[in-house]
Amino acid sequence: MVPLDWKAHMTSYTEAQKEAIVCLDEPLQIIACAGSGKTQVISQRIAAILARPGVEPRNLIAFTFTEKAAAELKERILSILEKDGLDTLGLAEMYVGTMHGYALDLLQRLVPETFKFSVLTEITSRMFVDRNSRKSGLTVCPTLSSGTPYLRRFLHSRLFLQATGVLREDTVNWDLVPAGVVASFEDYMKLLYAHAYFDFTEMINLAVQFLEGDIDEDESSGVVQQHIREDIRYVVVDEYQDVNPLQERLVRGLTQFGANLCVVGDDDQTIYQWRGSEVSNIVTFKDRYEGVRQVTLAENFRSSEGVVEVGRSVAERIPDANRLPKAMVRAGHQRWQRGDMIAREFADEYDEAAWICDRIEAMRGLAFQDAADTEARGLSWSDFAVLYRSVANDAGPLVEEMRRREIPYVVKGLNRLFDSPEIQAVVGVFRYMAGLMDASDLRDLWADAKLLPSTADWGGAMAVLDEGRDFDRGKRWGVYNIQRLYLEFMEALGLREETVPGQPVRRELVFYQLGKFSQAISDFEQIYFNTAPKQKYETFAAWLEHQAPGYYAESDADVGYAMPDAVTLTTVHQAKGMQWPAVFLPCLRANRFPAKRQGGLGLFHVIPETAVGDADRYKGTLEDETRLFYVAVTRAQKYLFVSFSPGGNQLYRRRSAFFDHCAAQQWFSTREGGVAAGTPRLEPRARHETPNVTLSFSELKYLFECPYQFKLRFLYGFNPPLHEALGYGKGLHDALAEVHKRAIAGDLVRQEAAEDLVIRHLHTPYAYPELKTTLHRAAVKAVKRYLKDHESDLERTVHSEKQIQVHVSPGITVDGRIDLVRRLDTDELAIVDFKSTARAQDEDVTRDQLHVYAVGYEELTGKRADLIEVLNLDEEGKTIREEVEDPLLVSVRARIKEAGDSLRDNHLPRLPTWSEHCGKCDLAELCRDVPPDAKRSRRAATGR
């Protein structure tokens, strides 16, 4: 149990919360109803664990479902430790994040063969198999459908990837899987490894192989299991209801040597069964693990009594045999009042959309209190959310109405990105590049989208495109970079944030959309960068028209930290873990929500149903839909509006059973009374929350150098153009990381190993053939030179790739790895940073960055480094060795705090004039006019 003095800090917790917090030695299952304060409970319990004698942060792993949830959990833990005056040393070594992130980190710390691997997203995975449709096994994968004997490119890539995922994630009887499917799966896995890619499943799958492997036969299994045995003492798994069988094996592997396990979740919120999660994991947890303490957090602190009671009634539609017993109760400050919850029917979807807009406009400015101890404020646009079962299928009429009324809105993720007039105009640019649109039609498209600045230079912008369409300008692939063309077109046009026509809120939303499109370009170029130029642009234009809208509609992807003051339109799945004062649930139609099982080619046309355990969950059941509706209802804090309008298809003409259920509840009114006269109103003011942001040290560098560049990259989501030599610096760092990790283990690497190290670690997928050869030779030369010059230093390696963290200010953390910490002959401790080229970074910036490392090292270990060193791996570069300076440490701490304050206050200005930093910024075109000399230099660097 926790030390007695902890009880003094727990007066604000409920009895159930206290019971969960102080249970540290038994396997613990926390059943957490919606809005029950589970994040605070987990945070306090972790703080209690860290307060125990002999426990270090590296002994604990905490899994969350999303990186956003991880950032919030980290911040809560830190604030509790600081509030209670507890030691925060070593927190950088406590893993808090997703299972996928942990598996990747585990592999790329302990298994050198994986250091060069990069990760494919849902989108890039699909493009990867589409581009390599035969080699990947896609188009030779047989099906059990006579009408479709083999899977087809584009049409079935998502289904193919689902099948390859199930074969690794689930309990599969391989004897029942057709030989042709097995062969296609093997082709896919070979191609994945040949290109040094992990998909999301393979990261965890490979980690599990090492956790379950025979340590006598496999060296990597021995290394991984030794680390788990010696270091891991506590494992916490949040959102446990959404764990699939492979992830359950990961949890088993991490606790196999006796680590304490705590799982947190709510079976009523299991919404990813169709992806393989098993609700039985959480329902049967107490039966599968010995001595489990089970604690139920039933108090909902988020919502009014009306919302809580309706949510509870929805959950109780699930048969008792298939859920854990619990009864959610209201415990927060939100009060239900008649009219807060309305169920309405409409003649058609356009009337429904008009009513939603009417209601939002009427409610804007209503007094709302976020917490019991805060002042009331007026509701603003971002306090309203519209949750759909399918944004792609149902949101069109509302989007149209909001545009007409100029109500600001954002569609979460990249869903419906390609429906917006602004993005249709951008797509037109690439249709023009592919010869599918003429210049006058393109100009009309941009004018209709209201994207032409008052000072637009249309002729200059078209000159950029016309030069780009000359596909015989050069042999280097970088000459035809799509992202660079996108940025240069906007620069020539004069389109910047402040020149977008309209009010500031529209300018922000437009740049938010343009940043999302930049991500789509990056996704495409990651896979197609090396394609012949004309074919690349033609393929991109076709992909934007035919594949991309569907790909992104089915993805959970999101970009940037920006949180515009705008109404949120999102799917219920994407709304998980979020909350809003007012929530609308429209289009509640039979066969839509609850969704009807889809016809057509499906998973069990590829893998026989009999080959997969509990196959029914992949098909979707009424219970699954009920759980999803429960999640939807419980996102609302006070106002909840459900509505029905008949859809155009005969399938969707009837009311949903969920709509009828709500309308029958006493908390709902079925007649619109409008906002009552005399209802308190205040000036609309969006709730400004600093996003819990975790920055890498290189990202902090952008914030230091130019706050506006940081805004473009990380708030709006713009991506820099891919560089042909990308991967060279990382390859050198990874090779030397292996050298130093082996040195710590007593294995001193000699010069003769340089070639093997480079072969194992150098991966430059975007380099043209001649450059690839040049980079390989340069890497071998650099590694060999380093080993020759530092052969006698290797045995003094203290740490390699040491994880460190600097807490900037509430909600903002900087973390990363120090390349090397070594002790010199003088017994001084030096922090070392490797630079792959002499031109890698300005000396002053490097000095600041290394002092940030010194701050992070001190926060991690409590020890002060004596020196900072820069070792240039380029023979033209010079080595820098300087003492850690107290004034500079103080200055760097102040700059870090200033940067954090700027981010919190959204004060991210441009540099006052063009500077040397601007010349090195990949996004300068979006900021200001690039001077002629700088423009020539930038063009020359890309072979133009």
Side-chain angles (χ1 to χ4, degrees), residues 131 474-482 484 525 528-533 536-537 722 724 764-770 772 942:
R131 186 184 185 191
K475 295 181 180 180
R476 287 176 53 178
W477 291 324
V479 171
Y480 309 100
N481 190 297
I482 297 175
R484 185 173 290 109
E525 288 206 289
Y528 286 93
F529 187 84
N530 299 346
T531 308
K536 178 164 82 167
Y537 276 91
L722 284 176
E724 294 159 316
T764 52
Y766 309 117
Y768 53 93
E770 295 89 343
K772 196 178 285 279
T942 59

Side-chain angles (χ1 to χ4, degrees), residues 61 69 90 110 139 148 193 285 333 350 354 409 431 442 452 494 549 559 571 659 739 757-758 779 799 846 891 917:
I61 296 168
L110 302 179
T139 54
T148 310
Y193 276 82
F285 180 80
H333 73 285
Y350 298 100
Y409 72 91
R431 288 177 56 76
L442 179 60
L452 294 179
V559 298
T571 65
F659 176 85
V739 167
L757 285 165
V758 170
H799 299 293
T846 298
S891 170
H917 290 312

Side-chain angles (χ1 to χ4, degrees), residues 99-135:
M99 288 188 177
H100 297 95
Y102 175 79
L104 183 65
D105 179 70
L106 184 75
L107 294 170
Q108 297 196 331
R109 270 189 299 121
L110 302 179
V111 184
E113 290 76 13
T114 69
F115 288 3
K116 69 180 178 184
F117 277 57
S118 56
V119 179
L120 293 172
T121 65
E122 293 176 70
I123 301 297
T124 51
S125 291
R126 288 186 74 170
M127 284 193 284
F128 180 62
V129 298
D130 283 336
R131 186 184 185 191
N132 302 281
S133 56
R134 187 172 184 86
K135 286 182 181 178

Side-chain angles (χ1 to χ4, degrees), residues 195-387:
H195 283 77
Y197 281 136
F198 285 134
D199 63 15
F200 283 147
T201 300
E202 192 54 24
M203 287 185 279
I204 296 181
N205 185 47
L206 188 58
V208 168
Q209 303 311 311
F210 292 135
L211 287 169
E212 297 177 346
D214 187 333
I215 62 174
D216 294 325
E217 294 185 4
D218 181 68
E219 182 181 349
S220 294
S221 291
V223 171
V224 169
Q225 290 181 37
Q226 180 182 358
H227 161 64
I228 301 304
R229 182 186 294 106
E230 293 178 356
D231 287 348
I232 306 306
R233 296 171 57 184
Y234 297 90
V235 177
V236 179
V237 185
D238 191 17
E239 303 290 1
Y240 184 66
Q241 74 278 356
D242 289 321
V243 164
N244 66 35
L246 179 64
Q247 292 166 336
E248 175 66 17
R249 286 168 60 194
L250 176 66
V251 172
R252 286 278 188 183
L254 296 175
T255 57
Q256 65 182 306
F257 302 114
N260 173 268
L261 175 61
C262 167
V263 301
V264 186
D266 180 4
D267 53 297
D268 292 337
Q269 296 187 63
T270 306
I271 62 173
Y272 288 103
Q273 292 246 94
W274 54 280
R275 284 187 178 173
S277 63
E278 279 193 305
V279 70
S280 61
N281 277 333
I282 190 167
V283 173
T284 65
F285 180 80
K286 196 171 183 179
D287 302 324
R288 292 182 294 109
Y289 288 82
E290 290 185 12
V292 171
R293 171 81 65 90
Q294 196 174 67
V295 178
T296 300
L297 306 181
E299 295 89 352
N300 180 305
F301 298 93
R302 172 189 300 155
S303 306
S304 70
E305 185 178 8
V307 173
V308 168
E309 288 301 309
V310 170
R312 184 179 57 76
S313 71
V314 169
E316 288 173 353
R317 293 171 65 94
I318 302 167
D320 289 345
N322 296 336
R323 67 187 292 258
L324 294 165
K326 65 186 99 58
M328 182 169 60
V329 295
R330 174 235 180 191
H333 73 285
Q334 298 295 350
R335 296 184 60 186
W336 173 85
Q337 295 172 288
R338 177 60 63 188
D340 286 354
M341 300 167 66
I342 296 172
R344 286 286 311 271
E345 293 185 55
F346 296 93
D348 60 45
E349 54 200 0
Y350 298 100
D351 285 350
E352 184 180 33
W355 175 74
I356 292 172
C357 290
D358 288 343
R359 192 78 206 186
I360 291 172
E361 289 177 329
M363 292 176 64
R364 184 167 177 258
L366 289 186
F368 183 81
Q369 194 173 8
D370 292 296
D373 58 352
T374 60
E375 288 186 9
R377 61 183 178 83
L379 290 178
S380 195
W381 301 118
S382 54
D383 293 310
F384 300 91
V386 187
L387 312 187

Side-chain angles (χ1 to χ4, degrees), residues 64-77:
T64 59
F65 195 68
T66 65
E67 292 299 345
K68 180 177 180 291
E72 181 180 359
L73 183 59
K74 286 179 189 175
E75 183 62 31
R76 296 268 191 103
I77 294 167

